[in-house]
Amino acid sequence: MKPYGIRLRRACMAVAAAGLLITPAVAGSAQGATDPTRPAAAPSPNTEFRQLTPAVAAELDSAIRRVLHDARVPGVTVGLWAPGKGSYVKSFGVADKATGAPMTEGLRIRIGSETKTFTVTALLRLVDQGKIGLDDPIGKYVKGVPNGDRITLRELAGMRSGLFNYSEDPDFSKALFAHPDKPFTPRQLLDYSFKHGIQFQPDARFDYSNTNLVLLGLVIEKVTGRPLHEVVMRDVVRPAGLHRTLFPTGAKFPDPHAQGYTSQTASGRIENATDWNPSWAWAAGAMISDLQDLRGWAHTLATGALLTPATQAERLKTRPIGVTGAGYGLGIFDVQGWIGHNGSLPGYECLAVYLPQARATMVIVLNTDVLHDGQEPSTLFGEAVTRIVTPRHVYPGHTPSAPKGR
């Protein structure tokens, strides 16, 4: 995405632009992506994922420390789990630059666009209940949407609506910069988008827009008659067995949590964004979680445990987004076989993905969103880790250069 202003960054790997929360892509369905219409191949854990021996752990330590240093990340926690291969969970750096308190795996962070996976799951559960249809027009539920009689819920969830991303509007950025503790309503966010009109006709192309998720959040509220945060917590978070994940309704951030640092500020200097009110991200990025809950969620999300097989198959039909070996489905991406999502908003980033071929999970959480050479730091960590443990499934989806010092 554009380097100015506030953005809830694109969704998936960040090779093409400072996306997400990042940017995935392919032709038809993504190269390396799971085709839900075909029987899944039997997992090959012996070849898809390296044994997490002490020697491999030492490689990981070195690679993670290198990214931490080069990208000037305050603190990061990396978790890897694969049946028969062992596990790797380790924290590096600090959670609080002022006190020097260390980063630890039990700290909560703001998860940004990972929230989209929860919102879309809530929507898809309503599909399974027969209360909505994916091909319903958004105008059936929300009035005043440009092209509302043509844009479908499927196109909103798949980032193909043509609606302008409100978080790229200069007036929105000014309002947030001026009062980062200010609450925003969904309708205010939509107003920033709708004044720009239609960017392209529905389904013409992929374009990551947080506006899409705000609209889906309003659909969920209208159909259920309940606030979005209550629906997500009761109908998604609790059934998934998550205990440290929440959808806040204000700036309150339960302890223990890491402090978050961003350069998305009026001055352009790095500042502490921990207590910024996340209402501006709402259905697109307001949630909070931690490493272990994201571990469980990555598996639940990728395997469709909360959905019918037919609906999960629809979700996993990825379509092109412009990055080799990557595609976007319905609030989910497939990048070189890794299925899940990432998240980035001022002060924090995360990556929570699952590799079916090895039944492996990777979760990365960190306390900055400051780009390094135009890339999300979560992407840099994801690349460094997968280059070592899954060389056939390197997360960013591009051919990496030789690691430094090797």
Side-chain angles (χ1 to χ4, degrees), residues 277-402:
N277 192 321
S279 63
W280 67 271
W282 196 49
M287 291 179 68
I288 292 168
S289 191
D290 73 353
L291 183 89
Q292 289 296 338
D293 263 15
L294 289 174
R295 172 193 178 185
W297 178 241
H299 180 272
T300 296
L301 179 67
T303 60
L306 298 182
L307 304 175
T308 64
T311 297
Q312 178 70 356
E314 290 297 309
R315 173 169 226 169
L316 292 179
K317 288 180 179 177
T318 59
R319 298 184 65 185
I321 58 176
V323 177
T324 301
Y328 203 82
L330 302 181
I332 197 169
F333 65 64
D334 184 321
V335 177
Q336 295 291 12
W338 289 98
I339 298 173
H341 216 284
N342 60 352
S344 175
L345 83 171
Y348 301 92
E349 289 195 350
C350 71
L351 173 64
V353 288
Y354 181 78
L355 183 66
Q357 292 91 332
R359 303 192 303 277
T361 303
M362 176 172 66
V363 177
I364 299 170
V365 298
L366 54 147
N367 59 342
T368 187
D369 67 313
V370 178
L371 302 179
H372 177 67
D373 290 340
Q375 290 203 52
E376 307 282 345
S378 62
T379 296
L380 298 175
F381 285 113
E383 178 180 0
V385 169
T386 56
R387 190 185 294 172
I388 292 168
V389 298
T390 55
R392 294 171 58 183
H393 302 275
V394 176
Y395 172 67
H398 62 78
T399 303
S401 57

Side-chain angles (χ1 to χ4, degrees), residues 228-239 245-247:
L228 177 63
H229 68 273
E230 181 181 306
V231 176
V232 169
M233 292 301 296
R234 183 181 298 178
D235 300 349
V236 180
V237 171
R238 290 175 189 169
T245 299
L246 60 148
F247 196 130

Side-chain angles (χ1 to χ4, degrees), residues 37-164:
T37 66
R38 298 181 181 179
S44 312
N46 290 331
T47 59
E48 300 292 346
F49 197 98
R50 292 180 66 188
Q51 192 78 33
L52 293 172
T53 63
V56 170
E59 286 185 65
L60 288 168
D61 289 351
S62 177
I64 293 166
R65 288 194 178 101
R66 184 164 56 245
V67 174
L68 188 83
H69 174 269
D70 291 349
R72 298 183 179 180
V73 172
V76 65
T77 300
V78 176
L80 291 166
W81 303 267
K85 298 295 184 176
S87 62
Y88 173 97
V89 179
K90 189 169 288 190
S91 298
F92 302 81
V94 300
D96 187 330
K97 295 199 292 186
T99 67
M103 193 72 167
T104 63
E105 70 169 276
L107 298 177
R108 288 185 171 103
I109 67 157
R110 299 193 187 277
I111 62 173
S113 278
E114 186 71 28
T115 302
K116 291 177 172 69
T117 63
F118 290 89
T119 299
V120 175
T121 298
L123 183 87
L124 295 177
R125 283 173 69 85
L126 293 175
V127 171
D128 279 342
Q129 295 165 20
K131 295 181 178 179
I132 60 172
L134 279 173
D135 296 313
D136 291 347
I138 183 60
K140 178 178 178 180
Y141 304 98
V142 182
K143 303 303 180 185
V145 181
N147 248 2
D149 60 334
R150 298 189 58 200
I151 298 170
T152 67
L153 305 187
R154 185 191 302 274
E155 288 157 351
L156 291 167
M159 299 296 177
R160 304 181 71 86
S161 71
L163 295 172
F164 184 83

Side-chain angles (χ1 to χ4, degrees), residues 241-260:
L242 309 180
H243 303 290
R244 292 169 56 80
T245 299
L246 60 148
F247 196 130
T249 56
K252 185 176 180 180
F253 200 160
D255 289 326
H257 62 261
Q259 299 295 299

